[in-house]
Amino acid sequence: MHEMSLAESIREIVDDARGQDPFVRVRTIVLALGELAAVEPDSLRFCFEAVMKGGPAEGAELRIEEVPGQGYCPACACSVALHALYDACPACGAYGVQVTGGSRMQVLELEVE
């Protein structure tokens, strides 16, 4: 389950932020999570709670903003919505759509006290 390593990476971001600007605790962490990132939000939430125990983000709200998948089809030169990796182009049916968005996870915001 790679969601555990992603939760640990979020903890490292919190620790780095705390080293730069000391704070008591984290109230909210806002993530952008791409539709094509291959991350199960419920599993990430479970791992997040486990990893944050005993630290400044224990009990913090994890807010996930979903980012839609996007792709470019070289066969028809269209930008298209993409809901799964390796799907055919919804415009022309060709395969080989290149992912252009919605494949990453990024911490957008830390709300701290």
Side-chain angles (χ1 to χ4, degrees), residues 1 9 27 34 36-37 67 71 79 94-95 101-102 109-110:
M1 160 183 329
S9 294
R27 295 182 62 159
L36 306 175
V67 177
S79 291
Y95 286 90
E109 182 180 332
L110 296 176

Side-chain angles (χ1 to χ4, degrees), residues 5-82:
S5 64
L6 293 173
E8 289 170 349
S9 294
I10 296 169
R11 186 190 63 222
E12 289 174 15
I13 290 169
V14 168
D15 292 343
D16 289 347
R18 192 172 191 204
Q20 293 175 14
D21 185 16
F23 50 82
V24 177
R25 75 180 203 98
V26 178
R27 295 182 62 159
T28 306
I29 297 175
V30 181
L31 292 181
L33 182 59
E35 181 179 12
L36 306 175
V39 176
E40 174 55 48
D42 289 338
S43 295
L44 180 60
R45 287 180 195 284
F46 177 82
C47 294
F48 175 84
E49 288 181 24
V51 166
M52 297 303 165
K53 284 190 192 267
E58 182 173 4
E61 175 190 0
L62 179 62
R63 191 176 314 149
I64 298 175
E65 296 180 1
E66 294 187 19
V67 177
Q70 293 290 314
Y72 174 77
C73 177
C76 68
C78 288
S79 291
V80 296
L82 196 58

